[in-house]
Amino acid sequence: MKVLIAGAGRLGTQIAQVLAAAGNDVVLVDIDDDRITELEGRLPVRLLAGDACEPAFLEHAGALTADLVIATTGDDEDNLVISFLAKRRFAVPRVAARVNDAENNWLFDQNWGVDTAVPVAMPLISLIEEATGAADTVALLRLSKAGVDVIETAITARSRAAGRTLAEIPLPEGTVVATVVREGRPTVPASGMRLRPGDELLLVSHAATEQEIRAAFQ
C-alpha cells in the first residue's frame, strides 16, 4: 500500500514508522525543512519538505498513486485542505485527518474529503486502525492488507527489559521492533540499543500475541 502522510510531528512519524515496518511504501512530508532534516536517516520512509496544501507539491509527493493519505498536522485548516485536495483532485481512495480542536469535528466529513476523522486524543493504535480500515502492552491491531499485528509496549522501571539491549531480548518468531519512541522522538532500533524506563516500543508481528510480547518485555 502507498501511504502519504502530511505532518512530521510525533504522531505522523510514529504512524510512518509503523506502516513502513508493515511493508507499506510511505512518504512523510512536512512544511518545516529543519524537521525533515532532523528525521533523515532515522525513519525507513521517503522524506520531503514542502507545503502539502499546495496541489503541485502533493502531486510531487505521490498523491496521484497513493492508496491512503493521512493529514496529521497541528492545524485543522491545513488538514481539511489536504484532505479535500487528496480526495477531490487526486481521487485518493482513503483519506484520514487529525482533528485538533473538538469544536471542528463537524467539518471533518466527506464534504471535505475526509473518510475517517481522528480526534487528537485517540491513541496511536486506534488511529492506524481507523486509517487503514483493532496497560503497558496495548491490545493487538490487525493490519489486514499487510497480514500483521501491531503491538505497543511501554518500558517501566519494573520491566524486565529495562537496562537490557534489544539483542538480549528474545522475540517471538516473525516479530520485529518497528520503532522505539524515546522522549517523544521515534528512533530506528539497533540491536545494541539499551532500553530505558519511559521508552515506548512498537512491534510488528505475523503471529505473536499480546501476551507473548508482554512476557518478553515486562
Side-chain angles (χ1 to χ4, degrees), residues 11 97-100 105 117-123 127:
L11 183 62
R98 174 183 183 178
V99 186
N100 297 282
N105 279 332
V118 183
V120 68
M122 180 177 285
L127 188 153

Side-chain angles (χ1 to χ4, degrees), residues 66-151:
D67 300 298
L68 168 65
V69 166
I70 307 177
T72 67
T73 79
D75 189 314
D76 283 345
E77 292 182 1
D78 287 352
N79 289 341
L80 286 171
V81 170
I82 294 164
S83 298
F84 186 83
L85 289 173
K87 182 66 72 174
R88 306 301 178 202
R89 179 153 185 166
F90 299 106
V92 176
R94 188 160 185 80
V95 177
R98 174 183 183 178
V99 186
N100 297 282
D101 186 341
E103 293 185 359
N104 294 330
N105 279 332
W106 65 278
L107 286 167
F108 285 73
D109 59 18
Q110 293 189 354
N111 291 322
W112 278 95
V114 179
D115 296 304
T116 301
V118 183
V120 68
M122 180 177 285
L124 171 65
I125 295 298
S126 298
L127 188 153
I128 297 173
E129 181 179 35
E130 288 288 339
T132 58
D136 48 36
T137 303
V138 175
L140 296 179
L141 158 70
R142 188 69 176 171
L143 299 178
S144 56
K145 288 188 177 181
V148 297
D149 297 309
V150 178
I151 304 170

Side-chain angles (χ1 to χ4, degrees), residues 8-216:
R10 178 179 179 181
L11 183 62
T13 53
Q14 287 181 333
I15 295 171
Q17 184 77 30
V18 171
L19 293 181
N24 298 289
D25 181 2
V26 180
V27 178
L28 178 62
V29 306
D30 198 277
I31 196 170
D32 187 342
D33 292 4
D34 292 337
R35 177 58 175 164
I36 293 299
T37 299
E38 178 186 358
L39 291 173
E40 287 179 355
R42 294 171 53 188
L43 296 171
V45 303
R46 181 183 174 202
L47 296 165
L48 290 174
D51 187 354
C53 292
E54 294 292 334
F57 178 74
L58 270 184
E59 182 172 351
H60 172 65
L64 281 171
T65 58
D67 300 298
L68 168 65
V69 166
I70 307 177
T72 67
T73 79
D75 189 314
D76 283 345
E77 292 182 1
D78 287 352
N79 289 341
L80 286 171
V81 170
I82 294 164
S83 298
F84 186 83
L85 289 173
K87 182 66 72 174
R88 306 301 178 202
R89 179 153 185 166
F90 299 106
V92 176
R94 188 160 185 80
V95 177
R98 174 183 183 178
V99 186
N100 297 282
D101 186 341
E103 293 185 359
N104 294 330
N105 279 332
W106 65 278
L107 286 167
F108 285 73
D109 59 18
Q110 293 189 354
N111 291 322
W112 278 95
V114 179
D115 296 304
T116 301
V118 183
V120 68
M122 180 177 285
L124 171 65
I125 295 298
S126 298
L127 188 153
I128 297 173
E129 181 179 35
E130 288 288 339
T132 58
D136 48 36
T137 303
V138 175
L140 296 179
L141 158 70
R142 188 69 176 171
L143 299 178
S144 56
K145 288 188 177 181
V148 297
D149 297 309
V150 178
I151 304 170
E152 181 180 18
T153 190
I155 305 301
T156 69
R158 301 176 65 179
S159 300
R160 70 175 65 189
R164 301 173 66 188
T165 66
L166 288 174
E168 295 173 323
I169 301 170
L171 296 177
E173 185 177 355
T175 301
V176 298
V177 178
T179 188
V180 177
V181 181
R182 177 171 290 170
E183 297 178 352
R185 297 175 179 271
T187 303
V188 177
S191 60
M193 185 177 191
R194 196 169 297 280
L195 296 177
R196 307 173 186 170
D199 287 348
E200 299 176 16
L201 285 76
L202 294 175
L203 300 98
V204 177
S205 179
H206 284 285
T209 65
E210 177 187 352
Q211 290 73 25
E212 288 174 321
I213 296 301
R214 191 177 195 285

